[in-house]
Amino acid sequence: MNKIFIMVVFAVLTGWSEPTAFLNVPEFIGVPDAQRSVTNRAVTMVPSMAVTPGGRLWATWYAGYSGGEGPNNYVVLSTSGDNGKTWQEALVIDPDWTGPVRTFDPEVWMAPDGSLYCFWAQSVGHNGTVAGVWALKVTNPEEALPACDAPQRLTDGVMMCKPVVLSTGEWVLPASTWRWTDSSARMMVSSDQGKTWTLRGACHVPKDVRAFDEHMIVERKDGSLWMLVRASYGIGESISTDRGVTWPELVPSQIPHPSARFFISRLNSGNLLLVKHGSMDERIGRSHLMAFISTDDGKSWGGGLLLDERGGISYPDGQQTADGTIYITYDYSRTGEKEILFATFKEEDAATAENVSGTVSLRQLVSKGSGGVVREPKAQTLKEVKSNSDGVELNKILSGSFAVNGVESDALSVGKRLFTDRGYVVAEVPDALQDATFLRIPLNDAKTLVCEKPGVLWLLTPLPMRNRDSQAAELEAQGFQKTNLPEIRLFDRSNPANFSSLYQKMCTANEEIQVGKWAVPLFFTEQL
């Protein structure tokens, strides 16, 4: 479907008078002013880092003065001339300040010609089919004050990971039209050093596991191209043997990971570096950022240097320099501490999981946001548990079941991990649900659940007044009803945003149930 048509429809439905404004050059590209300063940010997230041959560091991320991912997001470009001890914000790239157009998901990259490229995505909302990848070429990257060519829109979609240079000299952009389209993980190629870009091929991500793609491409030593893609289950893979013209449909890789961005890169030694969450033995949430080394082109991984063990860390990106130093940036506590951080280490440190080089330096600060819009307290901040007395009677007589199909199921009991992509554990189980089984699915992204055995099925989700990610309206639209079971303080009992209510519906065999972020599916293994 044509992007212009989609945006015209959007404009009609919302009253927006400029349906093609997301195609325009951003209104503001310059040194941060008071509005866009580090002291007026309610969110900072999704960083990228590059280092010049002369040692100047460049970092980028996106921010906003309110909320999280929203219409006032803009991209920040910052630099350091003293190896990260101090940082100076050189540019912000803002399409229209208050929205509806947003700039987001930036990437910074040192090209073979010595130029620094700052890429970003530009769209309204999260629809990857009406987004575009833009680039700003910095021609003097060794200087603190960047001299830039005019910004260019390169292709449709979103690019959240590093470009790759193939052995042929071709430049590759991993651009994605994620979630809404087939064959969304695309390979855009330039044979003229970035002047023009063409689509060579794309990998199809099955609809039921689509997320945001965030794919990276590795050229293997045998000439094949290995694509790793973010999927709802973690990391999927596809291998092209014809230089990227065709790609088999995405299948799960052997790398355990949450549904989140990872980072993979070819090192100076010829080995591969992978930065991901957790060990190679267990799939965890967005914590324990670790660096691994492969000496056999990704068939196996060793080492595992721990960069940061805290929860709320994500989106690694980086680069190795000529002296062997590896720079990895990531975000921490996007709307709380609002930090962009980086770590430095060498290949031998990652390979041994120890500071054998004596140069490892962790949790180095790039930026710490503050300020932004302070929202007035709302009803969801109330800590009283709602009785839900207006709900329907809980019906456990005709219990159905969800199709498992490889999805983890577990008894709903205190201490059990709830989601595959988060480390949250069950804190409270009422007597009525003591014999319940739950599916351990991702917290993020859209999911399709299937009724295997006909009968009543249940989902736990916060009420809309508790959490903006409540699935209550979506469930009610599919025929679910709120039960009269009082709210459950499902995890982190001090936070009312996690207080959850139980919804139920009599479902038929093979009936599909659509849920987004976030809901917990329940069923009872024995009919009562």
Side-chain angles (χ1 to χ4, degrees):
M1 187 178 291
N2 183 276
K3 70 173 73 68
I4 304 300
F5 173 75
I6 293 173
M7 297 313 296
V8 169
V9 172
F10 177 87
V12 171
L13 294 176
T14 62
W16 181 30
S17 61
E18 297 182 78
T20 61
F22 75 106
L23 298 171
N24 297 339
V25 174
E27 293 178 2
F28 187 96
I29 300 178
V31 177
D33 55 12
Q35 287 181 315
R36 302 167 179 87
S37 72
V38 70
T39 56
N40 189 34
R41 292 179 188 159
V43 60
T44 58
M45 59 190 295
V46 186
S48 172
M49 178 172 279
V51 189
T52 68
R56 176 166 290 278
L57 276 56
W58 291 90
T60 186
W61 62 92
Y62 77 89
Y65 66 84
S66 69
E69 300 177 60
N72 62 75
N73 292 149
Y74 58 86
V75 166
V76 181
L77 182 64
S78 187
T79 188
S80 171
D82 55 12
N83 203 34
K85 294 182 180 65
T86 60
W87 290 84
Q88 174 186 342
E89 294 190 357
L91 290 176
V92 296
I93 303 166
D94 190 352
D96 54 6
W97 182 231
T98 59
V101 183
R102 57 193 293 252
T103 53
F104 61 105
D105 291 353
E107 188 72 36
V108 66
W109 177 63
M110 283 301 304
D113 65 2
S115 299
L116 177 81
Y117 282 82
C118 181
F119 302 92
W120 69 90
Q122 191 164 301
S123 75
V124 176
H126 290 75
N127 191 333
T129 64
V130 292
V133 179
W134 288 71
L136 196 64
K137 181 179 179 179
V138 178
T139 56
N140 62 336
E142 301 291 357
E143 304 297 326
L145 185 62
C148 305
D149 288 351
Q152 301 289 326
R153 189 180 192 275
L154 306 182
T155 184
D156 294 344
V158 178
M159 188 187 78
M160 299 188 69
C161 298
K162 279 275 192 286
V164 177
V165 180
L166 302 181
S167 58
T168 57
E170 296 167 309
W171 298 5
V172 174
L173 296 185
S176 169
T177 52
W178 66 31
R179 297 207 299 181
W180 286 272
T181 60
D182 294 341
S183 301
S184 57
R186 304 185 308 153
M187 176 180 173
M188 303 299 301
V189 178
S190 174
S191 57
D192 54 11
Q193 290 71 55
K195 296 181 179 64
T196 60
W197 298 89
T198 57
L199 174 64
R200 177 166 294 179
C203 176
H204 176 69
V205 180
K207 186 175 182 180
D208 61 340
V209 299
R210 287 178 190 164
F212 298 96
D213 291 356
E214 297 175 3
H215 55 300
M216 298 195 75
I217 296 171
V218 174
E219 183 176 18
R220 285 178 156 169
K221 294 174 183 178
D222 64 4
S224 64
L225 300 180
W226 184 31
M227 182 187 290
L228 296 177
V229 183
R230 174 183 172 181
S232 63
Y233 52 71
I235 299 177
E237 66 178 358
S238 180
I239 298 173
S240 173
T241 57
D242 57 8
R243 307 303 293 168
V245 176
T246 59
W247 297 87
E249 184 173 271
L250 193 75
V251 296
S253 75
Q254 298 301 307
I255 302 171
H257 198 252
S259 182
R261 190 170 79 177
F262 50 90
F263 177 74
I264 189 168
S265 180
R266 182 75 67 185
L267 296 175
N268 301 340
S269 65
N271 295 329
L272 291 176
L273 167 75
L274 176 66
V275 181
K276 62 176 287 292
H277 293 286
S279 71
M280 286 293 173
D281 300 320
E282 181 184 13
R283 185 174 190 263
I284 66 170
R286 296 188 182 190
S287 67
H288 294 81
L289 200 64
M290 303 176 73
F292 299 87
I293 300 295
S294 175
T295 59
D296 54 11
D297 247 8
K299 296 181 178 66
S300 64
W301 297 90
L305 181 67
L306 181 61
L307 306 181
D308 198 326
E309 77 282 0
R310 296 173 295 177
I313 55 175
S314 60
Y315 277 70
D317 182 86
Q319 178 189 323
Q320 185 182 36
T321 55
D323 68 355
T325 303
I326 298 168
Y327 293 78
I328 295 294
T329 186
Y330 57 96
D331 59 34
Y332 169 62
S333 185
R334 295 172 171 180
T335 59
E337 298 300 322
K338 308 171 194 172
E339 290 182 349
I340 305 298
L341 301 165
F342 77 103
T344 52
F345 55 94
K346 294 197 172 182
E347 180 178 344
E348 55 264 38
D349 305 318
T352 60
E354 296 181 5
N355 183 14
V356 295
S357 72
T359 63
V360 173
S361 183
L362 307 179
R363 297 192 190 181
Q364 300 175 72
L365 185 66
V366 175
S367 177
K368 184 177 179 66
S370 63
V373 174
V374 178
R375 293 192 175 99
E376 292 297 322
K378 297 182 181 179
Q380 61 262 41
T381 63
L382 298 177
K383 295 190 176 182
E384 295 82 3
V385 171
K386 287 180 61 67
S387 68
N388 286 336
S389 58
D390 57 339
V392 301
E393 189 74 21
L394 176 62
N395 177 12
K396 296 169 59 178
I397 296 176
L398 296 172
S399 175
S401 66
F402 288 102
V404 176
N405 295 335
V407 178
E408 296 178 11
S409 62
D410 206 344
L412 186 70
S413 58
V414 172
K416 295 293 180 67
R417 193 176 72 204
L418 277 166
F419 305 103
T420 59
D421 57 350
R422 292 293 190 276
Y424 306 140
V425 297
V426 178
E428 180 177 277
V429 180
D431 290 343
L433 300 183
Q434 288 293 333
D435 50 349
T437 296
F438 75 99
L439 296 186
R440 188 174 288 116
I441 60 176
L443 172 69
N444 282 325
D445 308 326
K447 284 84 66 174
T448 300
L449 306 172
V450 179
C451 175
E452 183 175 58
K453 172 188 169 186
V456 181
L457 295 177
W458 296 264
L459 286 108
L460 282 167
T461 192
L463 297 173
M465 53 83 70
R466 292 289 190 198
N467 194 309
R468 67 179 182 181
D469 295 317
S470 166
Q471 294 299 295
E474 288 78 1
L475 292 174
E476 289 172 353
Q478 296 172 78
F480 281 81
Q481 295 177 292
K482 184 179 72 172
T483 71
N484 60 5
L485 189 70
E487 283 184 312
I488 303 165
R489 296 172 296 178
L490 194 57
F491 61 91
D492 185 9
R493 294 192 292 179
S494 65
N495 185 356
N498 302 323
F499 291 6
S500 300
S501 295
L502 187 68
Y503 286 75
Q504 71 182 18
K505 178 187 176 183
M506 180 70 72
C507 297
T508 59
N510 300 316
E511 181 176 348
E512 293 187 349
I513 301 152
Q514 308 296 327
V515 294
K517 177 186 179 182
W518 61 268
V520 177
L522 300 179
F523 61 97
F524 294 88
T525 54
E526 296 182 3
Q527 183 170 312
L528 304 180

